[in-house]
Amino acid sequence: MNFLTQPWPWYIAGPLIGLMIPLLLLLGNKAFGISSTLRHICAACLPGNVDFFKYDWKKESWNLVFALGMILGGFFAGYVFKNPNPVHLSDDTMRDLNNLGVKDYSGLIPLDVFNFSSLLTLRGFILMVAGGFMIGFGTRYANGCTSGHAIMGLSNLQWPSLVATCCFFVGGVIMTWFILPYIMHL
């Protein structure tokens, strides 16, 4: 049971995720990606004349099953096989987070920042609502999310995915070092 409740090392979890790409391609010529799932759900559930949703979403129904599996896997990992220990972070990271006001390391996300009472603050609104909107808009604008471009696109040697992944990292560095400290002190 300890095997399921403890985090797996990067050299095991990373290759397992990476092996999903050739497995999907070999077994069914399927492209990995989760951000298109919302489009498939909308195409299946929203009757209407929106050109963006007019396609044979049933051919992509495997993606809906994949997304359901991710939700179930997340539930089991978070509740049934929950790691009883706090998330392991380096001392430098904990010092930096403490300087930003993050002191609770008991969950996968910092509860000091991401909770319902913080949602009603300017900081919480920027991080949760505006940040969520920008992630969704950016995913649509870039024609894929970080995992789709970085895992699937780079493994297929896609030039747009290389550009998108580089931009994701540059944006992450700019946000982490130059913008987030100001937002955290709001």
Side-chain angles (χ1 to χ4, degrees):
M1 190 59 84
N2 227 10
F3 175 70
L4 292 174
T5 59
Q6 300 300 315
W8 294 1
W10 64 267
Y11 50 84
I12 293 176
L16 285 176
I17 293 171
L19 287 174
M20 282 302 299
I21 303 307
L23 188 67
L24 284 170
L25 289 172
L26 290 172
L27 292 180
N29 199 22
K30 306 291 185 192
F32 173 78
I34 194 65
S35 57
S36 58
T37 303
L38 180 60
R39 181 182 184 209
H40 303 325
I41 292 172
C42 290
C45 298
L46 296 176
N49 254 349
V50 180
D51 288 339
F52 186 65
F53 298 134
K54 286 183 179 178
Y55 65 97
D56 187 11
W57 63 267
K58 292 178 184 172
K59 285 175 56 179
E60 304 297 329
S61 59
W62 71 272
N63 195 302
L64 299 174
V65 176
F66 183 82
L68 179 64
M70 288 179 62
I71 292 169
L72 290 174
F75 172 79
F76 281 108
Y79 290 100
V80 178
F81 301 111
K82 184 178 181 180
N83 181 0
N85 303 318
V87 175
H88 177 71
L89 298 171
S90 74
D91 292 337
D92 291 339
T93 299
M94 290 180 71
R95 186 188 65 244
D96 290 343
L97 289 172
N98 282 338
N99 288 337
L100 293 174
V102 176
K103 298 181 180 8
D104 184 358
Y105 305 102
S106 61
L108 292 176
I109 58 172
L111 294 178
D112 298 319
V113 179
F114 296 102
N115 59 58
F116 280 111
S117 62
S118 292
L119 182 62
L120 302 176
T121 64
L122 179 59
R123 179 180 77 176
F125 181 82
I126 291 171
L127 291 176
M128 290 185 256
V129 178
F133 174 80
M134 290 176 73
I135 292 287
F137 179 80
T139 297
R140 177 65 194 112
Y141 193 71
N143 202 20
C145 64
T146 52
S147 61
H149 279 294
I151 298 172
M152 184 68 199
L154 290 182
S155 67
N156 282 333
L157 304 176
Q158 297 288 323
W159 173 250
S161 291
L162 177 63
V163 173
T165 303
C166 290
C167 290
F168 295 149
F169 277 98
V170 169
V173 168
I174 291 171
M175 177 64 181
T176 301
W177 288 103
F178 300 110
I179 301 173
L180 186 62
Y182 293 106
I183 294 173
M184 291 298 290
H185 290 103
L186 289 176

